Amino acid sequence: MKERTVGFFEIVATKNGQAKRIPAHFDWDRVLSDIAQTHVTDRTFEADSRYVGSIVTYDMQDHLLLHRVKDAGEWLSVVNWDTGSLHELEESAHEGYLDTSVVCFLPFGNVVGIMQGGVSAPSHKALETWLNGMQIFPGDHLQVRPVVAHAEIERLKTASGASRVEVKVIANKMGALQGRHGGLARTLRVAGEAYGEISVTMVISVPRTKELKEHRELLLADLEEISDVVTGAERARARLVYSDPSGPERTRLVELVEHSITAKKRVPATDAEGNSIRIMSAVDAILAAATEHENALRLAVDVGEA
């Protein structure tokens, strides 16, 4: 079963060349419902390619399928795997072959999750082109930009502990750990010395019980010691603990490296009976990835935690 990438993007407005976050959450449910009732020609826009939007409803929720119409000059063939015979696909005047991407609009921050059906399927830039071509919001020029997780290294200074740390350090960063004596630095350094030119991914989790308070404090201290290294790591995130004298402890997931938020998901194309389920599978994968990364997504687009 092939893995496909889910990418997350934020829809913002541009004015005088400056991109600005839209304060309110657009009513995408209404937009998709309106699009579903239009003729195919009214949801088609031609730019560098011809793009067509269509709506699929799954679990009582509308989602956008964005299609790129293959050029009539592209050569398309079909093979029969039993006989090995080939035949050419010829486009008629009333038909077109499509590359398709699935787009799910999340319920916060004008964020969308996109999964491309193939390398030539519409990208987030194609979605931007189509949204503006359709004049979804007349008077607004929209930009679709990757959601980038913020590096929140400064939050380490105000936390009282860390209940979970995940760090991936590639080989060329190992040298920066020399002379560091904390547990995180020592463990990463020993792995590098033992196995040579490797990348190391380490996850440490401390249960949130009163008895392990000192362990969470120690984990935070060890993380602070290598904070200058983890900002340049391949991946680094932590769930920080904040003590409140007037109430219970609270936690916050922080990203210590800036990166585009994406996820790899396995997407089955057919069910046990051989029926096509690729669109439903794609929607499920996008929404699962959105749930998995929701805190980071909300933080990145400044809408707060769920």
Side-chain angles (χ1 to χ4, degrees), residues 250-263:
R250 58 186 178 86
T251 66
R252 179 163 190 167
L253 178 68
V254 298
E255 296 285 343
L256 305 174
V257 179
E258 287 192 351
H259 63 273
S260 294
I261 301 177
T262 61

Side-chain angles (χ1 to χ4, degrees), residues 116-303:
Q116 293 177 261
V119 293
S120 59
S123 66
H124 69 286
K125 297 305 292 183
L127 175 62
E128 176 180 303
T129 298
W130 182 80
L131 288 172
N132 286 311
M134 291 293 93
Q135 297 186 357
I136 298 297
F137 298 101
D140 286 318
H141 183 82
L142 304 178
Q143 179 182 343
V144 182
R145 64 185 185 185
V147 176
V148 178
H150 291 311
E152 295 197 297
I153 204 74
E154 289 298 313
R155 293 191 181 275
L156 297 178
K157 298 176 182 178
T158 57
S160 59
S163 61
R164 178 183 169 91
V165 171
E166 179 182 353
V167 180
K168 181 178 181 180
V169 180
I170 57 179
N172 63 6
K173 297 291 183 181
M174 291 296 185
L177 297 171
Q178 296 298 324
R180 315 292 176 95
H181 305 291
L184 286 176
R186 186 168 61 252
T187 303
L188 289 166
R189 189 172 62 248
V190 168
E193 291 170 352
Y195 299 104
E197 294 294 312
I198 61 169
S199 64
V200 178
T201 301
M202 183 168 60
V203 179
I204 296 179
S205 183
V206 181
R208 289 179 59 197
T209 62
K210 186 176 181 181
E211 295 77 12
L212 297 178
K213 181 173 181 290
E214 291 185 4
H215 293 71
R216 293 192 293 274
E217 292 173 349
L218 179 60
L219 182 58
L220 176 64
D222 288 349
L223 180 60
E224 286 186 287
E225 183 197 28
I226 61 170
S227 61
D228 60 325
V229 177
V230 298
T231 53
E234 182 105 339
R235 180 169 67 251
R237 57 176 66 118
R239 183 162 291 280
L240 302 182
V241 179
Y242 295 87
S243 297
D244 186 349
S246 61
E249 285 186 339
R250 58 186 178 86
T251 66
R252 179 163 190 167
L253 178 68
V254 298
E255 296 285 343
L256 305 174
V257 179
E258 287 192 351
H259 63 273
S260 294
I261 301 177
T262 61
K264 291 281 190 180
K265 292 292 180 182
R266 294 187 180 277
V267 182
T270 57
D271 61 15
E273 286 73 43
N275 301 310
S276 176
I277 57 170
R278 63 188 187 279
I279 300 301
M280 293 180 290
S281 298
V283 170
D284 284 339
I286 292 170
L287 297 182
T291 298
E292 179 183 339
H293 295 280
E294 181 169 355
N295 284 345
L297 289 167
R298 286 179 173 273
L299 189 63
V301 299
D302 199 25
V303 295

Side-chain angles (χ1 to χ4, degrees), residues 57-69:
T57 303
Y58 177 51
D59 279 350
M60 300 180 68
Q61 182 71 40
D62 288 338
H63 307 283
L64 174 68
L65 303 182
L66 186 61
H67 315 279
R68 181 184 73 86
V69 182

Side-chain angles (χ1 to χ4, degrees), residues 72-84:
E74 295 185 59
W75 292 3
L76 302 174
S77 304
V78 172
V79 61
N80 183 312
W81 294 114
D82 293 328
T83 65

